[in-house]
Amino acid sequence: MIVTSTIAAAGMLRALRWPNATVPVEVSEGVLNSSHVHDIHAAMHYLNSLTCLKFVNATQQQYRVVVESSTGCGSLVGHVGVGEYQKLLLGASCFLQKGIVLHELLHVAGLFHEHTRPDRDQYVRVVWTNIRKDKHKNFVVPSWMRKSPDLVNLGLPYDFGSLLHYGLKVFTIDQERPSMVLRRPHEYTGLVGQRDAPSRADVARVNRLYECWNHYLGDDLPGAKAYLVWQAATLTHELSHFHTSDIEI
Ligand SMILES: [Zn+2]
C-alpha cells in the first residue's frame, strides 16, 4: 500500500532537486574578494567530483544561485525556482573553515541539517532551554518529514560526522552548556559539527536524492538500506507537486 504521506514527502524531495541535476551559480567579482571567489569555485569543483549533480557558472539568462556578501552564511534548501534567482549569502567569516562553503552548497543541492532529521531524537537531545529563541527554528524537525522518515532519511543512517550537523554548542544562551547532547555518548567519539569536508554519507545523500546510480550511494555504510531497495520503496512513487520555497537555514 502506498501511504499518502510518503507520496507527499517524495514530492517534497523531488521539488528540492535542480532540473537536469545542474546548479547554475553566479559569483560576481567585486562582491567577494578573489580569494573567496576561488574558494567557492574550488568547493563547486570538489562536489562535482563526488556526485552527478553539477555546479556550473551561470549565464545571465538562467535561473541561478547568486552569491552575495553578507555578515553571515546562509542558503535556501534546494531549487526554489521563484523569480530570476535565489541568493546564497557568504560573508568573510564563511571562508575561515573549508567546509562552511561546502555546507552551504549542500543546502543548495537540497540537503537539510542532519540534526533536523525526523529520527534525531533517538540520537541527540535538544536542550531547548539553552538555545536562543530566535534560533529555535534551526532545530525544528519539519512536520512533513516526520510522516515519512524512511524516505526523507534517504535510507541512510544518522550521521554525527555530517558536514550538515551542527556542533553541540551552536546558538547557546549559556555558552558553557550545550544546545544538544548525544543520547549515547559512547556511540560517536569524533567531532560533531565538523566543517572540513562532506562525510561519505553526505555524498551518498546527494547521490541518492539525484538518483546518481553510477556514483557512491552509501550501500556499505552500517545501517544503510541498499539504494535500490530504498529507491523502489520510495522515490519511484507517482508524485504530487509541492513548492518548498523559502526554507531558510
Ligand atoms: Zn546550515
Side-chain angles (χ1 to χ4, degrees):
M1 189 178 76
I2 297 171
V3 180
T4 308
S5 59
T6 301
I7 298 173
M12 290 288 278
L13 282 191
R14 285 222 164 156
L16 294 167
R17 301 196 298 196
W18 284 80
N20 305 314
T22 303
V23 187
V25 181
E26 180 183 317
V27 189
S28 308
E29 300 266 359
V31 177
L32 297 157
N33 72 36
S34 58
S35 155
H36 294 166
V37 172
H38 173 269
D39 288 353
I40 294 166
H41 284 132
M44 289 164 59
H45 289 138
Y46 183 62
L47 292 178
N48 287 352
S49 72
L50 296 171
T51 80
C52 71
L53 178 66
K54 294 296 170 231
F55 290 89
V56 301
N57 291 320
T59 64
Q60 284 293 323
Q61 292 76 35
Q62 285 174 301
Y63 180 84
R64 59 202 184 276
V65 173
V66 173
V67 180
E68 293 190 4
S69 189
S70 167
T71 49
C73 325
S75 170
L76 299 166
V77 176
H79 173 261
V80 175
V82 177
E84 293 176 13
Y85 63 89
Q86 65 189 66
K87 290 180 187 177
L88 169 58
L89 302 178
L90 293 175
S93 64
C94 315
F95 298 88
L96 297 176
Q97 287 175 277
K98 192 180 88 178
I100 300 176
V101 174
L102 290 164
H103 171 112
E104 299 303 339
L105 289 179
L106 290 178
H107 283 319
V108 171
L111 299 191
F112 290 84
H113 284 138
E114 187 69 356
H115 59 272
T116 64
R117 278 170 56 128
D119 59 349
R120 68 98 188 275
D121 292 329
Q122 296 171 38
Y123 300 93
V124 296
R125 180 170 61 82
V126 177
V127 186
W128 295 102
T129 52
N130 197 37
I131 296 172
R132 287 164 38 193
K133 274 273 184 328
D134 61 319
K135 296 297 181 186
H136 274 206
K137 63 181 187 298
N138 296 39
F139 295 81
V140 171
V141 177
S143 56
W144 64 272
M145 287 189 179
R146 288 204 185 269
K147 292 174 185 160
S148 305
D150 287 346
L151 173 72
V152 298
N153 292 339
L154 299 166
L156 292 164
Y158 194 88
D159 181 16
F160 294 106
S162 170
L163 193 57
L164 287 156
H165 204 300
Y166 273 2
L168 301 177
K169 288 192 170 178
V170 171
F171 298 133
T172 49
I173 297 168
D174 174 357
Q175 294 176 8
E176 299 300 309
R177 293 171 48 232
S179 45
M180 287 184 283
V181 179
L182 302 194
R183 293 275 185 198
R184 294 179 291 276
H186 59 276
E187 200 170 75
Y188 184 75
T189 54
L191 178 65
V192 181
Q194 61 91 6
R195 290 295 177 268
D196 182 29
S199 67
R200 293 167 73 222
D202 289 331
V203 174
R205 265 185 275 283
V206 175
N207 285 329
R208 287 188 177 210
L209 180 61
Y210 284 87
E211 301 175 75
C212 307
W213 56 270
N214 57 349
H215 285 69
Y216 177 68
L217 293 160
D219 281 13
D220 61 325
L221 295 169
K225 286 202 171 98
Y227 170 69
L228 289 176
V229 172
W230 171 80
Q231 192 215 30
T234 54
L235 267 194
T236 49
H237 290 322
E238 282 300 311
L239 301 169
S240 313
H241 291 286
F242 288 83
H243 281 288
T244 55
S245 56
D246 299 331
I247 302 168
E248 194 158 0
I249 298 288

